[in-house]
Amino acid sequence: MNHPWLSAPAADVAETARTLLGWEISANGVRIRLTEVEAYAGTGEDPASHAHRGPTPRTKVMFGPPGHAYTYFVFGVHWCLNLVCGGEGEAAAVLLRAGEVVDGLDLARKRRGEVPDRDLARGPARLVVALGIDATANGTSMLDGSGPLLLTPPTRPVAPAAVSAGPRVGVAAAHDVPWRFWITGDPTVSSYRRHVPRRRR
């Protein structure tokens, strides 16, 4: 495989994220075209990143090799899926935030319930449910077919002029960093909600 982002350094994670729009992710009979992604840098560079303070048992997968899956549980309810990128030993990842189901619609509907097609993978937790994956995908390759996920280049490339950028969603730190990228006007892109700190009683 000779994808340029595989050799890009962790410092270029924002550009890597942008170029992943339009790529397709497949698992368990469902294929999704990515319409929204979000970049996270590594140690000491990005306080919103799980790897900001260095590797832990949970985040060691973020330190490479690139092209592997990083899954994590959020709010005790949902799984989220990231693509590890950057050079091995450098932490960086791209959160797969939303997409359009382009194959396996019936399976996606079965997993997601009676929702409009635009909502089947509209948001990172919904995307994971539509693909039917969980923690067992963590650390597996997303490129060589050895794991449950397969990431493939776009059948419909996205022109740079068709990409929008803005603040990341739901992060307490560095929430105004414009590292969320989406296909402008696509109905499957999730709605933006700025993080609001919870007040302690």
Side-chain angles (χ1 to χ4, degrees):
M1 285 165 285
N2 194 29
H3 309 312
W5 59 264
L6 275 171
S7 57
D12 292 348
V13 64
E15 183 57 27
T16 292
R18 182 193 296 269
T19 62
L20 287 170
L21 290 171
W23 282 59
E24 295 179 353
I25 183 76
S26 305
N28 302 308
V30 171
R31 182 160 49 93
I32 293 172
R33 179 176 183 256
L34 296 175
T35 59
E36 182 184 7
V37 294
E38 201 167 71
Y40 289 89
T43 306
E45 301 170 7
D46 182 3
S49 170
H50 291 173
H52 179 56
R53 291 181 175 84
T56 66
R58 182 177 80 159
T59 64
K60 63 182 181 180
V61 67
M62 286 185 69
F63 288 81
H68 284 60
Y70 167 48
T71 61
Y72 63 87
F73 209 39
V74 63
F75 304 131
V77 181
H78 305 298
W79 288 102
C80 291
L81 172 63
N82 299 256
L83 171 69
V84 174
C85 50
E88 192 160 0
E90 303 177 307
V94 176
L95 174 65
L96 309 187
R97 283 203 55 87
E100 172 197 5
V101 177
V102 294
D103 194 27
L105 270 169
D106 289 343
L107 276 172
R109 291 190 192 107
K110 184 176 180 180
R111 292 168 185 154
R112 286 278 295 115
E114 294 298 323
V115 299
D117 286 358
R118 63 173 279 179
D119 289 337
L120 289 172
R122 189 174 178 238
R126 294 171 177 178
L127 182 147
V128 167
V129 173
L131 289 171
I133 63 165
D134 56 22
T136 58
N138 192 56
T140 61
S141 174
M142 296 170 66
L143 298 174
D144 65 8
S146 62
L149 294 152
L150 186 63
L151 184 70
T152 52
T155 56
R156 288 180 285 158
V158 178
V163 176
S164 294
R168 295 179 290 190
V169 177
V171 292
H175 43 258
D176 290 327
V177 174
W179 280 5
R180 181 171 61 94
F181 303 96
W182 66 93
I183 299 175
T184 307
D186 193 287
T188 65
V189 172
S190 63
S191 56
Y192 173 69
R193 294 184 182 87
R194 184 185 172 122
H195 173 75
V196 178
R198 294 181 180 179
R199 292 184 178 181
R200 294 184 178 180
R201 295 183 179 179

